[in-house]
Amino acid sequence: MGILDTLFGRTKPVKPDLDQLFGVPSAALTLEAAAGFTPTGLGSVCFAAVEGAAFGQVEQQVRALLDADTERGGVPVEASKDGYGYSWLLARHTPEELPDLVNDLHAVNSELEANGFGPQLLCSLVGFRNPAGQSLALVYLYKRGTFYPFAPMPGGGERRNNPLELQVNAMLGNDLRLEKDLSRWFPVWGAPGL
């Protein structure tokens, strides 16, 4: 970063750090102890699919990697598209297998990144729920290398529980690299795994 960047307030973009995903199991312990949220066992990765054989081959490799344990009782990964045309891969584990779920999400991100499709990665999320039925997701923004909480209001509709999101954000400051710019806390309505 040069002197002109400093004078004009420009900053270098944060490089993605996929290893930040491995902080989620620690954050889950904090969430359970402080607010009663437990993992659902669901997590997903969102990316902008690209037309072409190379991307199709990488997507097949990722699905084969995640489906490798189906013969031993694992649940196959589910692929879907949302209303905006983004692709999602949903991984399922038991709630107790949160580290395995995080490994799967890391593997998807890493495989896409290693094959030159890092710019297509948007976010990953891990789902949580409390005894009252409130859903919560910890969303990892790939391009920012940060997390933020997303809590849709129970009962449907596109309303967020902003006080809960701020409370969770305050709880997890020691566990995860959190997104400070609240305008980047994008809603992920209808995301698989939420």
Side-chain angles (χ1 to χ4, degrees):
M1 190 160 79
I3 187 79
L4 290 177
D5 291 329
T6 304
L7 289 173
F8 291 113
R10 294 182 290 222
T11 59
K12 283 186 179 179
V14 176
K15 290 188 84 177
D17 180 4
L18 291 175
D19 289 345
Q20 292 295 314
L21 288 168
F22 294 121
V24 171
S26 171
L29 295 174
T30 302
L31 278 174
E32 185 170 6
F37 281 93
T38 56
T40 61
L42 302 175
S44 55
V45 176
C46 180
F47 54 95
V50 176
E51 297 296 324
F55 187 80
Q57 184 178 4
V58 171
E59 191 173 9
Q60 286 178 336
Q61 289 171 351
V62 166
R63 292 188 71 173
L65 176 69
L66 295 181
D67 289 344
D69 67 344
T70 55
E71 292 177 6
R72 296 187 309 273
V75 179
V77 67
E78 294 174 29
S80 63
K81 283 197 183 271
D82 64 19
Y84 299 101
Y86 294 113
S87 296
W88 291 84
L89 288 178
L90 173 67
R92 296 177 183 269
H93 285 274
T94 65
E96 298 78 29
E97 296 175 328
L98 182 59
D100 295 332
L101 177 64
V102 169
N103 284 339
D104 284 355
L105 299 178
H106 188 276
V108 171
N109 282 282
S110 296
E111 190 70 22
L112 288 169
E113 184 181 65
N115 284 282
F117 296 105
Q120 276 65 46
L121 286 165
L122 301 174
C123 68
S124 298
L125 66 84
V126 178
F128 294 83
R129 190 171 317 274
N130 71 7
Q134 171 69 58
S135 295
L136 172 72
L138 293 180
V139 181
Y140 175 74
L141 292 171
Y142 175 81
K143 289 174 177 62
R144 303 278 297 172
T146 57
F147 287 88
Y148 68 91
F150 175 68
M153 292 293 276
E158 292 188 353
R159 297 177 306 135
R160 294 171 78 164
N161 188 338
N162 295 114
L164 177 61
E165 291 175 356
L166 294 171
Q167 177 187 7
V168 168
N169 188 59
M171 281 179 215
L172 299 180
N174 292 329
D175 295 299
L176 299 173
R177 182 185 301 157
L178 298 169
E179 179 57 52
K180 290 178 175 45
D181 183 354
L182 300 185
S183 69
R184 295 195 181 268
W185 290 20
F186 304 110
V188 285
W189 305 117
L194 185 60

